[in-house]
Amino acid sequence: MTTQKGAQRRQRRRISGEIEDRIAVLAQREPRWSAGQIYEQLLLEYDEKKLKSPPPSKRTVERIVKEWRGVDLTGPWNLYTAAPEDVPLVLPVLAAVINWTQGAITSLTNGEARIIANIRSVAPDFGLVDSFLWARLYRRRIENNEPTDDFDAYLSYAPWRDENRRALYRKAVEQGWVREVPRAFILHHENGEITTTNVF
């Protein structure tokens, strides 16, 4: 018997990974935007040839946005209940997220903060906004019983640090030893702007 989640996963696989990743990023970066506005943005980017694949239906975009903006039941993160060792790891990310979203997101959840602290404890040079996006995706995958091995491998290889690490990670992906991390979730600052980093 086919479960609803199984059917949704099969439907999701028919959507370009590039498109779903872009929807996820827009849902986080523009939290004030409706799903309809995100759909229109995807159409614009496709017309401008910034996307290789056309966007799915507006209903599908609405579903993905709803999933990404689901309620986090771990509660809001604050200094009163935070682990002291997490505070210096989390606060810079919060500031970066406030700037990135232009004040649309001004707080983190306990679940997000925990993952952010774990990421930055092993990769202090990892991007601040990256840490936020990864925390949200990581939490969502855990809640949906989906694998996180691609993110774990990326952090293990640390390809953003130098060309040697980048080459090792590239080889691992090309050989099929590890799954490539969604490229839409790799960001960096360039001349004050956030752009997608191509590690290949």
Side-chain angles (χ1 to χ4, degrees):
M1 182 176 179
T2 302
T3 65
Q4 183 177 4
K5 280 192 174 181
Q8 287 178 345
R9 278 195 291 270
R10 280 199 299 276
Q11 182 181 9
R12 187 177 295 122
R13 281 197 291 269
R14 291 196 291 269
I15 303 171
S16 162
E18 172 200 36
I19 294 294
E20 184 164 6
D21 292 342
R22 184 59 179 156
I23 294 171
V25 170
L26 288 172
Q28 304 311 313
R29 182 172 186 178
E30 305 292 349
R32 297 191 183 99
W33 282 14
S34 67
Q37 288 174 296
I38 291 176
Y39 176 73
E40 293 298 327
Q41 179 65 24
L42 293 173
L43 288 175
L44 176 63
E45 292 181 6
Y46 179 65
D47 288 342
E48 294 177 346
K49 302 188 184 305
K50 294 179 180 178
L51 295 174
K52 296 178 182 178
S53 305
S57 67
K58 185 180 292 187
R59 184 182 296 273
T60 299
V61 173
E62 289 173 349
R63 173 179 59 78
I64 296 174
V65 170
K66 183 178 180 180
E67 289 178 359
W68 269 97
R69 291 177 176 169
V71 177
D72 184 340
L73 300 178
T74 61
W77 181 80
N78 59 71
L79 294 178
Y80 183 73
T81 58
E85 63 272 18
D86 290 352
V87 173
L89 300 173
V90 174
L91 285 180
V93 173
L94 177 58
V97 169
I98 293 172
N99 288 336
W100 187 55
T101 63
Q102 298 181 359
I105 296 177
T106 58
S107 63
L108 301 169
T109 68
N110 285 313
E112 291 165 354
R114 178 73 269 174
I115 299 171
I116 288 169
N118 286 342
I119 291 173
R120 301 201 66 228
S121 66
V122 297
D125 55 340
F126 196 61
L128 299 178
V129 174
D130 300 289
S131 298
F132 166 72
L133 290 174
W134 279 38
R136 288 209 161 179
L137 179 59
Y138 210 97
R139 179 184 62 80
R140 177 172 172 244
R141 286 193 181 181
I142 293 297
E143 290 176 350
N144 292 335
N145 294 316
E146 296 174 352
T148 60
D149 56 290
D150 51 341
F151 284 83
D152 298 335
Y154 189 87
L155 288 173
S156 299
Y157 280 92
W160 66 88
R161 287 181 177 156
D162 55 56
E163 183 56 39
N164 181 56
R165 288 176 175 270
R166 192 154 43 248
L168 290 173
Y169 176 71
R170 184 165 58 243
K171 178 180 179 181
V173 171
E174 291 172 349
Q175 293 294 324
W177 301 338
V178 301
R179 292 190 301 131
E180 182 185 359
V181 75
R183 297 194 183 198
F185 289 86
I186 306 300
L187 308 176
H188 77 294
H189 289 272
E190 182 176 288
N191 298 325
E193 297 295 327
I194 296 178
T195 57
T196 301
T197 299
N198 186 355
V199 299
F200 286 84

